[in-house]
Amino acid sequence: MGEKIDTVKAGHRKMWALGDYPSLAAEIIPSLGEVLVRAANVTSGDRVLDVAAGSGNAAIPAARAGAKVVASDLTPELLEAGRRKADADLEWREADAEALPFGDAEFDIVLSCVGVMFAPHHQAAADELLRVCRPGGTIALINWTPGGFIGEMFATMKPYAPPPPPGAQPPPLWGDPDHVRTLFGDRVTDVTARRQNIQIDAFEKPEDFRDYFKARYGPTIAVYNNIAGDPDKVATLDAALADLVRRHDKGTSPLTVDWEYLLLTAKRA
């Protein structure tokens, strides 16, 4: 079992090192980290852990707010990109979201911005978020919803992706408030869950969006790598992703699409 988990995690690390997720996070969704930090009420002196932090989209604004921040992620390439761009003092730690190398109740606030949702075993990851948060502390999450644009993008790519490892659950389930409440159970109080949108207007055409993700977004690159030997499948997926953007486009210039996410906060019981 341990060897299988190690193989799964090695695959995840490799996937997120593909392309250039740090540039995508900085160019397309930089505001999400700020939204999460505000929702968590991060203040000076708070001990904050950002789980699956990537290149620090939430960790860096938390550190700017004066918190003592640890940014943890499974993929060292993302952490290194965060170190290079950080304009605040924080610690960067390589760590598995399902087995965090921190003590019980070590942090006042535990954050994750479209990060922990990609850990394959949701209950294990949720248990770790709770374990490292002190009683009365805050857990704050932003996750893409199943019915929003990114959730639909994953559904569109799924037929072309390699089969998920045994026991893995779909990432966008973390954007379903009932799923997250089930994961946390009675170990949290004061749960608030709001669906919100981030407006994306960085692309002129649907094909521009698709090609940007094909070049930069690890999960999309991995799917295309899986079908690289089948030109018909590549062409079909190319068309499906462009059509997805067209369906969500608000009909303005430049092309404008809302990406729905779930903003959830809770107190550790």
Side-chain angles (χ1 to χ4, degrees):
M1 183 68 174
E3 183 178 345
K4 187 181 294 183
I5 289 175
D6 289 346
T7 302
V8 169
K9 298 304 168 61
H12 271 251
R13 181 185 284 125
K14 181 179 179 182
M15 178 185 73
W16 285 104
L18 295 170
D20 188 357
Y21 183 74
S23 74
L24 187 155
E27 294 167 7
I28 308 301
I29 55 169
S31 63
L32 284 188
E34 302 272 4
V35 169
L36 187 61
V37 167
R38 285 197 301 271
N41 293 317
V42 175
T43 57
S44 181
D46 284 336
R47 298 166 300 163
V48 175
L49 174 65
D50 186 2
V51 177
S55 52
N57 202 13
I60 292 171
R64 285 195 210 113
K68 300 173 182 175
V69 180
V70 179
S72 67
D73 198 276
L74 188 65
T75 304
E77 291 87 346
L78 299 184
L79 295 174
E80 183 54 39
R83 280 193 195 95
R84 290 196 300 268
K85 74 171 186 176
D87 57 1
D89 186 25
L90 64 158
E91 180 183 350
W92 302 86
R93 284 282 295 276
E94 189 175 329
D96 178 356
E98 297 177 7
L100 293 168
F102 308 109
D104 295 354
E106 189 169 332
F107 296 94
D108 302 305
I109 298 173
V110 179
L111 307 173
S112 188
C113 185
V114 295
V116 74
M117 64 182 291
F118 293 102
H121 307 100
H122 294 189
Q123 191 63 64
D127 291 347
E128 284 295 271
L129 296 178
L130 291 163
R131 180 184 65 80
V132 301
C133 186
R134 66 165 174 79
T138 297
I139 296 169
L141 310 172
I142 283 179
N143 295 309
W144 304 121
T145 62
F149 178 85
I150 297 295
E152 287 194 33
M153 186 181 79
F154 275 92
T156 300
M157 295 190 301
K158 184 178 179 181
Y160 306 92
Q169 292 173 280
L173 273 180
W174 274 94
D176 177 347
D178 291 335
H179 179 69
V180 182
R181 285 188 176 99
T182 299
L183 293 174
F184 289 160
D186 61 4
R187 296 175 292 174
V188 296
T189 63
D190 302 312
V191 177
T192 66
R194 300 193 303 275
R195 289 182 177 91
Q196 300 182 174
N197 289 308
I198 180 172
Q199 185 172 283
I200 306 299
D201 58 4
F203 305 99
E204 287 293 332
K205 299 180 298 185
E207 292 78 11
D208 296 338
F209 166 89
R210 178 199 65 208
D211 293 345
Y212 183 93
F213 267 62
K214 285 177 68 172
R216 287 170 177 80
Y217 194 53
T220 303
I221 296 168
V223 169
Y224 273 96
N225 286 348
N226 188 56
I227 60 173
D230 191 328
D232 289 341
K233 284 186 177 179
V234 170
T236 303
L237 181 55
D238 274 349
L241 288 175
D243 286 344
L244 173 67
V245 181
R246 266 186 214 98
R247 290 201 306 273
H248 282 264
D249 178 22
K250 292 182 172 184
T252 58
S253 182
L255 180 147
T256 303
V257 175
D258 283 341
W259 294 4
E260 185 183 71
Y261 61 88
L262 181 74
L263 173 61
L264 184 140
T265 61
K267 296 291 185 184
R268 177 75 165 94

